[in-house]
Amino acid sequence: MKPYTMTVSPDFMPDYIAGWYIFNTWLQRQLGQSIHLELYNDFATQREAISRDEIDLIYANPFDAAMLVREKGFSAIAAPQDKPDEVILAVPAESPVKKLDDLTPGTRIARTDDPDVNLIGMMMIESADLKADNTHVQMLDSYVLVAKALFQERADLGFFLKEAYESLSDFVRSQLSVLLSSEIHVVTHVLLASPAFTTHQDELRACLLDMPHRDKGQGVLDSMGLSGWQLQAQEDTEFMIDLMDTLA
Amino acid sequence: MQDMHQDDVVSSCIEQVLVYHDDSRRKVYVADQEVPFPEGKLIVSRTNEAGIITHGNQSFVEMSGFTEDELIGQPHHILRHPDMPKAAFKDLWDTLARGEKWSGYVKNLRKDGAYYWVLATVVANIRGGEVTGYTSVRRKPSRERIAECIELYRQMRLEEAS
Ligand SMILES: Cc1cc2nc3c(=O)[nH]c(=O)nc-3n(C[C@H](O)[C@H](O)[C@H](O)COP(=O)(O)O)c2cc1C
């Protein structure tokens, strides 16, 4: 039988790539199913694979969850424990901009292609009357490059996933200053299963929720930078999708 | 809807009477005192199809000045401010009835008579093809847009009164 395919939102932290492979090996053993892990370099390529129905399991960015659940019929399985996606807006340490309202039209924004961070970031600066048509956006390949663009003063404002910002080195962070940090709490990555995976869904959910207590489970979680999984009911995901829809 | 209590409100409030779309009335106390939007947060509430509050996040409860128990089960117009024109909410409900999402600037009244401005977006919760309720997500509004709305809403209310 053809193995199932699992993929991970391309915004995962590079430190945890190995962890996802270890997780895949662990999961195959737990479920007794063969699963192939396919990682994509960017969101666009991943979405193409999704549209070709090549994906059975996905650790999805909240932004993509809408399409996966509402158009592709994916089901919510679990969310990482205590790990909401929050956004940090940062400026160079020496910047005259001390609060959001100091930002002016023409602001140069550095960001990655992380879709939920960009959606929330643009929403946050809207209260300073900044939008796509009066700002200049530079899309960079990583948050480290976003930080670099700021302290080299090639950009005035950076959008960061909070987790990524906090993992920057102390030296890099000392050159930056946090303007605002979001506290949305309910936007999170989610593990979703395709309709083709339905028969294993309950077993998968039970296995993830019980992961710290299963053989080697805790070590695997550590290698992925997760403290555990929490139940994500379909309605929790539907609610999150409605919320994202209001921000678009 | 119960009248507001003078004991609950800040000093320097003016008494006004709100008339809702169904002609029911409520005595409210209104102060010229703004509470700033909580930076970085979203104010979220949900209602059933009839606009009765079913859920609210912590920021929603805190900003309203009520307790969660006082809000759940109440019509969402518990937050209606007399400076808001009726037409804004008619537009909200007409837009939702067409199956579209609604966005607008709203001045809300707190239990203590003070107010706060939001940029609200309301969407229908569609589950299994049916509308099961609505979600409103409010974010910090731009000062410039609020200034425009203050004038616009004043004119709309003058027209509604005549
Ligand atoms: C999800 C949702 C959220 C709402 N939030 C507010 C609100 O914050 N403030 C408000 O005055 N009306 C809000 N409304 C509109 C009220 O239901 C109501 O139409 C409005 O207060 C005017 O009262 P009336 O329609 O009874 O005259 C909301 C409606 C929905 C469906």
Side-chain angles (χ1 to χ4, degrees), chain A residues 109-130:
Chain A
I109 300 170
R111 62 190 205 185
T112 68
D113 68 342
D114 197 343
D116 69 327
V117 171
N118 293 340
L119 179 72
I120 295 167
M122 289 309 284
M123 183 275 291
M124 288 163 81
I125 62 172
E126 203 186 301
S127 69
D129 274 315
L130 295 186

Side-chain angles (χ1 to χ4, degrees), chain B residues 19-21 45 47 51 76-77 79-81 89 92-93 96 106 108 122 134-136 138:
Chain B
V19 183
Y20 293 115
H21 76 287
S45 67
T47 69
H76 218 308
H77 66 211
L79 299 181
R80 162 105 182 263
H81 196 286
F89 298 114
L92 179 157
W93 286 102
L96 293 176
V106 179
N108 271 334
V122 187
Y134 300 100
T135 298
S136 177
R138 295 98 174 165

Side-chain angles (χ1 to χ4, degrees), chain B:
Chain B
M1 178 109 297
Q2 278 191 350
D3 287 338
M4 279 171 77
H5 290 288
Q6 212 150 14
D7 300 343
D8 293 333
V9 298
V10 295
S11 54
S12 75
C13 274
I14 300 170
E15 186 181 315
Q16 277 183 265
V17 175
L18 269 179
V19 183
Y20 293 115
H21 76 287
D22 59 1
D23 283 329
S24 64
R25 281 153 200 270
R26 181 186 188 210
K27 188 161 73 178
V28 294
Y29 295 98
V30 178
D32 187 15
Q33 188 176 313
E34 180 165 9
V35 176
F37 193 99
E39 204 76 66
K41 300 190 183 184
L42 295 175
I43 298 178
V44 184
S45 67
R46 301 176 73 178
T47 69
N48 65 12
E49 291 137 282
I52 306 294
I53 301 170
T54 54
H55 303 82
N57 71 355
Q58 197 187 340
S59 303
F60 175 73
V61 175
E62 280 173 14
M63 282 299 278
S64 75
F66 291 96
T67 64
E68 188 169 4
D69 287 348
E70 289 171 321
L71 291 166
I72 305 295
Q74 293 299 316
H76 218 308
H77 66 211
I78 189 170
L79 299 181
R80 162 105 182 263
H81 196 286
D83 289 352
M84 285 298 292
K86 285 179 194 312
F89 298 114
K90 183 175 186 310
D91 182 51
L92 179 157
W93 286 102
D94 290 349
T95 305
L96 293 176
R98 287 196 305 272
E100 294 166 21
K101 79 177 153 188
W102 180 86
S103 251
Y105 294 87
V106 179
K107 183 177 185 176
N108 271 334
L109 179 62
R110 291 164 47 95
K111 184 182 183 179
D112 65 5
Y115 66 88
Y116 59 98
W117 277 100
V118 300
L119 169 53
T121 303
V122 187
V123 292
N125 307 132
I126 300 168
R127 306 289 185 264
E130 305 275 322
V131 174
T132 58
Y134 300 100
T135 298
S136 177
V137 177
R138 295 98 174 165
R139 45 179 125 159
K140 187 181 171 199
S142 120
R143 292 315 312 179
E144 259 173 63
R145 295 286 96 73
I146 294 177
E148 291 166 12
C149 281
I150 291 173
E151 181 50 26
L152 177 69
Y153 290 171
R154 196 183 61 81
Q155 283 175 13
M156 286 167 74
R157 275 185 300 108
L158 284 175
E159 273 166 40
E160 286 174 359
S162 63

Side-chain angles (χ1 to χ4, degrees), chain A residues 10-167:
Chain A
D11 58 0
F12 63 83
M13 307 283 291
D15 296 357
Y16 301 129
I17 295 188
W20 282 98
Y21 281 98
I22 297 167
F23 173 64
N24 187 40
T25 306
W26 182 87
L27 197 61
Q28 294 184 73
R29 200 161 299 148
Q30 293 288 324
L31 300 177
Q33 298 295 327
S34 61
I35 304 170
H36 162 74
L37 180 66
E38 182 76 46
L39 298 180
Y40 300 91
N41 283 332
D42 54 65
F43 284 92
T45 333
Q46 186 173 71
R47 284 189 198 122
E48 284 163 23
I50 295 165
S51 72
R52 290 191 302 266
D53 296 327
E54 289 172 7
I55 305 300
D56 303 296
L57 287 174
I58 178 168
Y59 182 69
N61 184 281
F63 187 91
D64 288 336
M67 175 261 291
L68 288 157
V69 170
R70 301 229 165 128
E71 291 166 31
K72 291 287 181 183
F74 277 63
S75 305
I77 305 292
Q81 201 148 30
D82 304 324
K83 211 164 122 81
D85 285 19
E86 301 290 359
V87 173
I88 280 189
L89 302 182
V91 294
E94 308 296 316
S95 170
V97 173
K98 301 293 175 211
K99 56 183 193 308
L100 208 57
D101 286 340
D102 295 340
L103 291 167
T104 51
T107 294
R108 296 167 304 165
I109 300 170
R111 62 190 205 185
T112 68
D113 68 342
D114 197 343
D116 69 327
V117 171
N118 293 340
L119 179 72
I120 295 167
M122 289 309 284
M123 183 275 291
M124 288 163 81
I125 62 172
E126 203 186 301
S127 69
D129 274 315
L130 295 186
K131 32 193 158 325
D133 61 16
N134 65 2
T135 51
H136 303 287
V137 170
Q138 305 165 42
M139 199 174 85
L140 301 168
D141 284 340
S142 71
Y143 287 114
V144 173
L145 293 177
V146 171
K148 211 167 155 190
L150 289 175
F151 66 72
Q152 293 182 344
E153 301 198 348
R154 283 180 284 113
D156 310 304
L157 176 69
F159 292 177
F160 293 87
L161 179 67
K162 188 175 180 193
E163 187 193 10
Y165 187 85
E166 287 171 349
S167 71

Side-chain angles (χ1 to χ4, degrees), chain A residues 162-198:
Chain A
K162 188 175 180 193
E163 187 193 10
Y165 187 85
E166 287 171 349
S167 71
L168 295 171
S169 71
D170 290 346
F171 172 74
V172 170
R173 268 188 296 166
S174 72
Q175 319 242 2
L176 304 175
S177 151
V178 174
L179 209 53
L180 187 58
S181 181
S182 75
E183 293 174 64
I184 297 176
H185 308 302
V186 290
V187 172
T188 168
H189 278 59
V190 274
L191 194 93
L192 302 172
S194 76
F197 202 79
T198 307

